[in-house]
Amino acid sequence: MQNTDIFDKRLLILLLLRESNHELSLEQISNLCSEFEDITYIDICMYIDSLKTSDYISEIYEGNKIYYTLTPAGEEILSELIELVPGINLLNIKNILKDSFEDYKQNYEVDTLILPIKEDEYKVSCYIKDGNDELINLTIYAGDKETAKNISSNWKENADDLYGKIIELMTN
């Protein structure tokens, strides 16, 4: 476990959001911070509230979930403050975050399964799993094999956006 006494832990949340390259939910942030021994769930909630108040992060609502992302002000302050973190500590933190992201990705799966129906007829099962929970499983008639491959490829590239849009359409 890494001790984070070297800097304000809000900086860790900003760094985490930047390194992830996409929005993160409170649960995702909490899971990714689990490697740091002195950050609790309650602490993370307080840090997020403080960062929102300072306009360093913003909330994005997708269906009934809230995600957080860096604002331009957050990116700017992170760039200024990151220089104050000693190099070896920053490297250690980035390595821990990288390992946490790899563990998270192993528990989060986006994939498809192309299923033959008859000769030259296919359907595609597109799914997202988060650990043992299946968030969505959508089976689509594709017709020919080329269309099935295109559906599969597009799902893998755009699953998060498509899932968010499906949830939005079904809850409104």
Side-chain angles (χ1 to χ4, degrees), residues 12-171:
L12 178 65
I13 303 294
L14 294 175
L15 184 61
L16 178 63
L17 287 169
R18 184 176 75 186
E19 294 294 316
S20 72
N21 293 320
H22 59 84
E23 305 90 28
L24 296 173
S25 69
L26 177 61
E27 293 79 20
Q28 291 168 323
I29 292 170
S30 180
N31 287 339
L32 291 168
C33 287
S34 65
E35 287 296 317
F36 298 95
E37 63 188 30
D38 55 348
I39 300 178
T40 67
Y41 184 81
I42 300 300
D43 293 333
I44 292 169
C45 292
M46 290 187 315
Y47 301 147
I48 286 175
D49 189 50
S50 171
L51 291 167
K52 283 189 324 189
T53 302
S54 301
D55 197 34
Y56 295 145
I57 64 173
S58 62
E59 292 179 333
I60 297 172
Y61 295 90
E62 291 183 10
N64 61 353
K65 288 218 71 140
I66 300 173
Y67 295 91
Y68 300 95
T69 188
L70 272 180
T71 63
E75 183 65 49
E76 185 178 325
I77 196 72
L78 178 60
S79 296
E80 291 173 12
L81 295 177
I82 204 75
E83 294 176 12
L84 301 176
V85 179
I88 189 68
N89 290 333
L90 183 59
L91 179 62
N92 288 340
I93 290 166
K94 283 188 174 188
N95 285 337
I96 288 171
L97 291 177
K98 180 182 169 207
D99 291 344
S100 294
F101 281 127
E102 287 174 8
D103 288 344
Y104 175 73
K105 286 178 184 174
Q106 288 176 358
N107 290 329
Y108 184 78
E109 181 183 2
V110 173
D111 209 350
T112 61
L113 186 59
I114 297 176
L115 306 163
I117 300 172
K118 298 178 186 172
E119 188 174 318
D120 204 35
E121 273 190 68
Y122 298 87
K123 60 183 178 179
V124 182
S125 176
C126 305
Y127 61 88
I128 300 174
K129 292 181 181 178
D130 188 4
N132 292 332
D133 296 328
E134 189 170 68
L135 302 179
I136 189 169
N137 189 340
L138 178 66
T139 302
I140 303 168
Y141 177 78
D144 61 53
K145 191 170 190 167
E146 191 62 33
T147 302
K149 286 181 182 179
N150 288 338
I151 291 171
S152 176
S153 176
N154 286 328
W155 177 260
K156 289 176 184 176
E157 290 175 20
N158 303 301
D160 287 335
D161 293 335
L162 293 168
Y163 177 68
K165 188 66 174 172
I166 291 168
I167 294 297
E168 179 183 322
L169 290 169
M170 293 185 77
T171 56

